[in-house]
């Protein structure tokens, strides 16, 4: 079966600094794959290349059968197929939660206002925020804002959802609500590629874990293999810092 997202030989340089040095990665439909590793290892850059928020220097990315890195690619179509949830919520402060979600449906997919609002309401309901539809971002907690951002992404019905450290800007007590939404999406069959520092979540929820360091994939495997029986010395030393906080 062809992967729904395939990254081959991905390289990214900024001037003379090579951030990605040949990343190979594949994601199958319905998988939750977590990417872990130290800051500066290239995780977020790799993720941003997948929907061309960063332009790869070299390599090939294919999503749902379409070559993302082709010069003739329709970038708007790519970003409908590959949703993105950022560290910062990127919500419009002057729009309600409902209108933040509905906006992309109208602008990107050309939905009527009534249809966009109906779909947006369904997406908010899916993340447990239907009751906050008329609230503005400033009236919501950070965790609620991030859940609105997830609703905005899933409303477009992407084939793959990318998460770039979605809980790193949240207070600790708000993290679990966002992770629970992600667990629910996994149960519903959403394909997800998640860059995260939440080791317990990666250990418990991921189908596969990818450990990156120095712009390359050092090790990948099932969550239990990577966390409980890592093969590479670099993986072992990285995970040793999290040993006390791992999922049981």
């Amino acid at each position: 079966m062809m992967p729904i997202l395939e990254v081959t030989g991905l390289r990214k340089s900024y001037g003379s600094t090579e951030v990605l040095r040949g990343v190979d990665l594949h994601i199958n439909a319905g998988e939750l794959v977590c990417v872990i590793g130290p800051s500066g290892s290239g995780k977020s850059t790799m993720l941003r290349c997948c929907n061309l928020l960063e332009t790869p220097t070299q390599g090939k990315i294919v999503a749902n059968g379409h070559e993302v890195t082709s010069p003739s690619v329709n970038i708007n179509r790519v970003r409908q197929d590959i949703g993105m949830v950022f560290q910062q919520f990127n919500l419009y402060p002057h729009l309600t939660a409902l209108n933040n979600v509905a906006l992309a449906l109208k602008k990107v997919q050309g939905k009527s206002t009534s249809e966009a609002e109906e779909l947006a309401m369904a997406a908010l309901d899916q993340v447990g925020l239907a009751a906050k539809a008329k609230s503005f971002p400033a009236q919501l907690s950070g965790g609620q804002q991030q859940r609105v951002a997830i609703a905005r992404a899933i409303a477009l019905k992407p084939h793959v959802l990318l998460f770039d450290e979605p809980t790193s800007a949240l207070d600790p007590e708000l993290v679990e609500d966002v992770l629970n939404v992600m667990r629910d999406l996994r149960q519903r069959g959403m394909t997800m590629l998640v860059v995260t520092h939440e080791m317990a979540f990666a250990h418990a929820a991921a189908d596969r874990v990818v450990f990156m360091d120095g712009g390359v994939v050092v090790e990948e495997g099932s969550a239990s293999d990577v966390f409980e029986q890592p093969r590479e010395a670099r993986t072992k030393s990285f995970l040793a810092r999290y040993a006390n906080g791992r999922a049981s």
Side-chain angles (χ1 to χ4, degrees), residues 16-18 47 51 57 64 73 78 82 101-102 112 129 163 165 191 212 223 237-238:
S16 60
T17 303
E18 194 171 30
L47 204 70
N51 67 353
T57 304
N64 199 36
V73 71
V78 165
I82 308 175
V101 178
S112 67
L129 285 179
F163 289 83
E165 299 188 15
T191 306
M212 284 184 67
S237 65
F238 175 79

Side-chain angles (χ1 to χ4, degrees), residues 2 13 80 91 141 148 153 181 198 218 227 234 236 238 243:
M2 196 166 110
S13 297
Q80 286 186 65
L91 300 178
S141 70
V148 173
V181 168
E198 297 291 338
V218 175
F227 278 98
R234 183 66 189 92
K236 292 175 184 175
F238 175 79

Side-chain angles (χ1 to χ4, degrees), residues 35 43 98 104 109 123 157 164 204 206 219:
V35 183
K43 307 182 302 295
L98 180 69
Q109 294 188 342
K157 301 197 178 337
D164 187 8
E219 182 167 353

Side-chain angles (χ1 to χ4, degrees), residues 77-245:
R77 176 59 192 271
V78 165
R79 290 179 183 155
Q80 286 186 65
D81 281 349
I82 308 175
M84 184 94 172
V85 177
F86 301 88
Q87 293 179 43
Q88 304 298 333
F89 323 123
N90 294 351
L91 300 178
Y92 290 104
H94 63 289
L95 297 180
T96 62
L98 180 69
N99 287 333
N100 263 286
V101 178
L103 184 65
L105 289 160
K106 292 189 282 189
K107 296 287 189 185
V108 177
Q109 294 188 342
K111 306 286 188 190
S112 67
T113 297
S114 60
E115 186 180 6
E117 289 183 353
E118 184 179 340
L119 292 168
M121 199 67 184
L124 286 171
D125 186 49
Q126 193 174 329
V127 300
L129 285 179
K132 298 290 187 179
K134 294 182 179 178
S135 299
F136 290 90
Q139 298 171 307
L140 302 173
S141 70
Q144 289 171 333
Q145 290 182 61
Q146 188 61 294
R147 284 153 63 195
V148 173
I150 293 172
R152 178 178 57 190
I154 62 176
L156 294 170
K157 301 197 178 337
H159 290 103
V160 184
L161 201 49
L162 310 177
F163 289 83
D164 187 8
E165 299 188 15
T167 58
S168 66
L170 301 179
D171 293 334
E173 65 267 24
L174 302 176
V175 167
E176 200 60 30
D177 286 344
V178 172
L179 295 180
N180 282 335
V181 168
M182 295 168 68
R183 292 183 184 102
D184 180 63
L185 289 174
R186 178 180 182 263
Q187 292 297 317
R188 293 168 181 257
M190 174 63 75
T191 306
M192 294 185 281
L193 179 59
V194 182
V195 169
T196 185
H197 289 295
E198 297 291 338
M199 295 297 139
F201 172 76
H203 191 180
D207 296 297
R208 277 189 297 129
V209 171
V210 175
F211 174 64
M212 284 184 67
D213 192 23
V216 298
V217 173
V218 175
E219 182 167 353
E220 70 172 296
S222 69
S224 58
D225 282 350
V226 171
F227 278 98
E228 295 161 27
Q229 298 176 311
R231 300 184 306 274
E232 303 295 331
R234 183 66 189 92
T235 316
K236 292 175 184 175
S237 65
F238 175 79
L239 291 174
R241 291 186 293 149
Y242 295 94
N244 294 330

